[in-house]
Amino acid sequence: MEHTESHPFDGKAFVRHLTTSPGVYRYFDAEGELLYVGKAANLKKRTSNYFLKPPMDPRIASMVSQIARAEVTLTRTAGEALLLESQLIKSLKPRYNIVLRDDKSYPYIYLSGGEDYPRLAFHRGAKSGVGRYFGPYPSTFAVRESLGLMQKLFKVRQCEDSYFKNRSRPCLQHQIGRCSAPCVQLISVEDYRSDVRHAEMFLEGRSSAVIDELAQSMEQASAALNFERAASLRDQVAALRRLQAQHFVQGASADMDVIACCLDGGMACVSVLFFRNGVSLGSRDFFPRLPTDASVGDVLSQFIAQYYLERQVPRELVLSDPVEDMEVLEDVLSQHAGYAVQLKPSVRGDRARFLEMAQRNASAALTSRLASRHTLLARFDDLQKVLELTEPPRRIECFDISHTRGEATVASCVVFGPEGPEKSHYRRFNITGITPGDDYAAMHQALTRRFKKVVEGGAKPDILLIDGGLGQVAQAMDVLRELGVEGIRVVGVAKGPGRRAGEETLILAESGKTLHPGTSSPALHLVAAVRDESHRFAISGHRRKRDAARERSTLEDVAGVGARRRAALLKAFGGLSGVEAAGVEELMSVKGIDRGLAERIYAMLHP
């Protein structure tokens, strides 16, 4: 349902015609920009607070003065309204809402499926592989530590499939007792599957059940006079018990997160301590984007909805402050999780101790963030003075090119604002169709692709930094002229003598003037930080592209040679060089390779 009227917006008329059903309401300004998304168990009663009950706090008053249009979406229950509100806030990021800025995908432990010898691996990104994903974990360190424990306790392989399929003897991991060497069948499929099942149980938090099973197997092995097997199981049980003793946190329930929020200086920090199966997995700090005058309860409520409705929810959430609509949140989270979830804003004993720890973490992290923000704002102000801008820049973009002798050329674009790097806006461009090593052509192509988006209505930077000298800067100016893009200050960042940090030269494209701010200049510190981030982002993308290209086997281009035949060839001849040295008759000796296929392989490898 949509309400549209000429400006100014008649809020009282809007409320008068509203239903008392639950739903979600949205406010827009005169230009159609979304100002705010809210939920309500009773739309008429909730929205009347904006228009029928002045006075209101400055944040709400500022928003209401800009409303030109309102829309509502009816839902069956308040829980559905909460879900819809959370989805809209995360996707549309309204100006006056609290938005969890979490642009990082979380790490998982991946257990592959559909094979005799599954592998455990670190995973981040889309969960598209066959198998199970355990997590998310609060940090990569937590995943790496857990994978290290898996190697010591269960000896499940963690090597890549390409490495696993081409082994002819056990690797170093087997020699140091961290892998059972399934690559050369030193363990049966049945025994390996038993190890995998125990690893799964451990990752599910059922370590006590694993210990019970292993202890029973130890007694059976001892009764069967298989003392070597019994001793191995005894050591495994002892290691698991030591691990429990080291990691168990007294007072922590099986699954619990402790969440504290701290507000100061117009910023918020939400600190979360993660506990699973009584084991601490560490902590993580979040800094949601705030409207002015937000309360701690508002921040916690929006954080819980936006964070946990997309992830596995623990059975217990301990909160530093009460939140609005607590019963609705509990019901929605319980439905999402499939079991009862409790929100506890008032706790005692050990939970109170954990909560105090989370509050200290939140306060310390926010203090550090505010200090960094103050430094960053000072650098933006100094850059305004150095470049003689009428106001501080709001968006800085920097481009860089990376390649290895012309191979796998990648261009990067990073974005910085007054709050720091805006990683959700970073972009990489795979450069094709140019002479290898031509940095000018690569820069021209990347800039053209980026600023075509500006012409189509995309975000436009105030300052465009180009990592390079006059030649690269000229490419930027040519692209902007060709596309008719105006109002962007183009600045080249050229390395100083000896390539020493702090001696960079800034090249102002429009005037051709050069600046040497010096090592003590906050503006140059900002420019260097943006340039270095662009350089890092370009190199990481280039290396991935290059390594992927180099790992690709020539055999993949031969029709009729799939993964199994390719592995058989590489194993039979000890690698690609051995296959290249083989003749047609030798190739035919490999199972599945007939004369026709052998001749095609030989022709591909000997053009």
Side-chain angles (χ1 to χ4, degrees), residues 533-588:
E533 175 68 354
S534 178
H535 190 56
R536 178 202 66 79
F537 195 56
I539 286 178
S540 62
H542 157 66
R543 286 175 177 168
R544 277 202 293 270
K545 183 179 178 183
R546 181 194 63 191
D547 293 346
R550 290 180 177 179
E551 288 175 3
R552 178 177 171 82
S553 171
T554 310
L555 295 173
E556 294 182 40
D557 296 324
V558 182
V561 178
R564 185 169 296 179
R565 285 175 177 168
R566 187 164 60 250
L569 284 165
L570 294 172
K571 186 173 183 179
F573 296 103
L576 185 60
S577 59
V579 179
E580 291 174 341
V584 172
E585 299 297 331
E586 293 172 291
L587 293 172
M588 290 173 59

Side-chain angles (χ1 to χ4, degrees), residues 186-499:
L186 290 188
I187 183 172
S188 68
V189 173
E190 292 74 17
D191 289 343
Y192 188 84
R193 284 178 176 169
S194 177
D195 289 340
V196 169
R197 186 172 60 83
H198 287 148
E200 282 189 272
M201 292 169 65
F202 182 84
L203 289 170
E204 290 169 349
R206 298 159 57 198
S207 55
S208 297
V210 176
I211 291 174
D212 292 343
E213 283 195 17
L214 292 176
Q216 185 177 358
S217 298
M218 178 181 66
E219 293 174 1
Q220 292 172 351
S222 179
L225 305 182
N226 188 349
F227 299 117
E228 184 176 348
R229 170 70 173 163
S232 175
L233 291 168
R234 177 202 63 201
D235 293 342
Q236 195 173 8
V237 169
L240 277 165
R241 292 197 186 280
R242 283 197 303 273
L243 179 68
Q244 280 189 328
Q246 291 169 1
H247 287 264
F248 188 79
V249 180
Q250 183 64 35
S253 66
D255 293 293
M256 177 178 75
D257 285 355
V258 182
I259 309 171
C261 177
C262 184
L263 292 179
D264 190 19
M267 294 186 68
C269 175
V270 178
S271 186
V272 185
L273 305 182
F274 301 88
F275 298 95
R276 296 294 181 271
N277 192 39
V279 175
S280 172
L281 296 181
S283 64
R284 185 164 182 182
D285 300 320
F286 301 84
F287 299 90
R289 190 196 75 190
L290 291 186
T292 56
D293 300 328
S295 68
V296 170
D298 292 337
V299 176
L300 286 175
S301 178
Q302 290 294 335
F303 173 82
I304 292 169
Q306 294 180 42
Y307 183 78
Y308 287 104
L309 288 176
E310 293 186 351
R311 295 174 176 85
Q312 182 178 357
V313 191
R315 296 181 180 273
E316 188 176 338
L317 298 178
V318 176
L319 310 179
S320 62
D321 295 85
V323 299
E324 185 183 359
D325 298 329
M326 187 177 297
E327 292 183 1
V328 175
L329 266 174
E330 284 184 334
D331 289 343
V332 171
L333 292 174
S334 299
Q335 292 174 21
H336 170 70
Y339 45 77
V341 176
Q342 292 181 300
L343 273 59
K344 297 183 177 180
S346 179
V347 291
R348 293 181 296 178
D350 290 309
R351 284 167 174 74
R353 177 168 55 86
F354 298 144
L355 186 55
E356 182 185 359
M357 187 189 309
Q359 288 172 320
R360 287 201 306 269
N361 286 349
S363 179
L366 185 58
T367 299
S368 176
R369 185 82 163 203
L370 285 169
S372 299
R373 185 189 190 196
H374 179 75
T375 301
L376 188 61
L377 290 175
R379 290 179 174 180
F380 268 80
D381 289 340
D382 192 53
L383 185 61
Q384 175 193 357
K385 296 174 185 176
V386 169
L387 299 182
E388 299 179 350
L389 304 174
T390 57
E391 57 183 21
R394 303 294 302 172
R395 182 184 176 101
I396 300 174
E397 294 188 11
C398 184
F399 281 75
D400 190 22
I401 305 294
S402 182
H403 59 79
T404 301
R405 300 187 187 90
E407 177 189 5
T409 302
V410 171
S412 70
C413 170
V414 302
V415 181
F416 270 61
E419 299 292 335
E422 299 181 5
K423 295 190 176 182
S424 61
H425 295 166
Y426 283 18
R427 294 292 181 269
R428 288 194 185 99
F429 302 91
N430 291 319
I431 305 301
T432 59
I434 65 169
T435 302
D438 188 344
D439 286 354
Y440 292 166
M443 183 65 74
H444 193 281
Q445 183 180 132
L447 290 167
T448 299
R449 290 164 61 182
R450 164 66 185 99
F451 285 96
K452 279 184 177 178
K453 300 294 185 183
V454 173
V455 174
E456 295 168 0
K460 184 172 72 171
D462 302 306
I463 296 176
L464 173 59
L465 297 180
I466 302 296
D467 185 19
L470 289 170
Q472 284 88 346
V473 170
Q475 294 298 322
M477 296 301 291
D478 287 346
V479 169
L480 296 181
R481 278 193 294 268
E482 290 169 7
L483 297 176
V485 178
E486 299 178 349
I488 297 176
R489 184 67 60 90
V490 179
V491 180
V493 187
K495 296 178 177 63
R499 305 173 71 89

Side-chain angles (χ1 to χ4, degrees), residues 51-194:
F51 307 109
L52 304 181
K53 297 182 179 180
M56 58 190 76
D57 64 60
R59 174 177 70 96
I60 302 300
S62 173
M63 181 190 73
V64 170
S65 68
Q66 300 176 59
I67 296 174
R69 177 166 61 90
E71 294 179 1
V72 298
T73 301
L74 304 184
T75 59
R76 293 177 299 174
T77 64
E80 287 183 0
L82 173 66
L83 287 169
L84 180 56
E85 179 202 38
S86 174
Q87 293 167 0
L88 290 174
I89 291 174
K90 293 213 71 169
S91 61
L92 302 177
K93 297 179 174 58
R95 188 193 313 167
Y96 284 92
N97 279 100
I98 296 166
V99 180
L100 175 61
R101 296 183 296 183
D102 186 26
D103 53 10
K104 213 163 90 167
S105 61
Y106 283 79
Y108 288 78
I109 289 178
Y110 171 57
L111 176 64
S112 63
E115 50 193 347
D116 290 338
Y117 297 108
R119 64 184 285 256
L120 285 167
F122 175 95
H123 177 83
R124 191 196 293 277
K127 297 187 283 292
S128 56
V130 177
R132 292 192 62 186
Y133 295 86
F134 298 90
Y137 287 78
S139 66
T140 57
F141 174 78
V143 176
R144 303 290 185 197
E145 185 179 39
S146 298
L147 286 173
L149 290 172
M150 292 292 101
Q151 285 184 314
K152 295 175 184 177
L153 294 172
F154 305 109
K155 301 182 181 180
V156 176
R157 75 177 181 95
Q158 296 183 18
C159 57
E160 296 285 347
D161 288 343
S162 58
Y163 184 82
F164 172 77
K165 293 176 181 178
N166 291 289
R167 295 296 302 175
S168 58
R169 60 181 181 177
C171 67
L172 179 63
Q173 293 297 323
H174 172 72
Q175 296 175 34
I176 63 176
R178 294 194 172 192
C179 182
S180 53
C183 54
V184 290
Q185 288 79 48
L186 290 188
I187 183 172
S188 68
V189 173
E190 292 74 17
D191 289 343
Y192 188 84
R193 284 178 176 169
S194 177

Side-chain angles (χ1 to χ4, degrees), residues 386 494-497 502-507 514-519 521 524:
V386 169
K495 296 178 177 63
E503 297 183 358
E504 292 88 350
T505 299
L506 303 184
I507 304 169
T514 58
L515 303 176
H516 302 275
T519 56
S521 169
L524 188 60

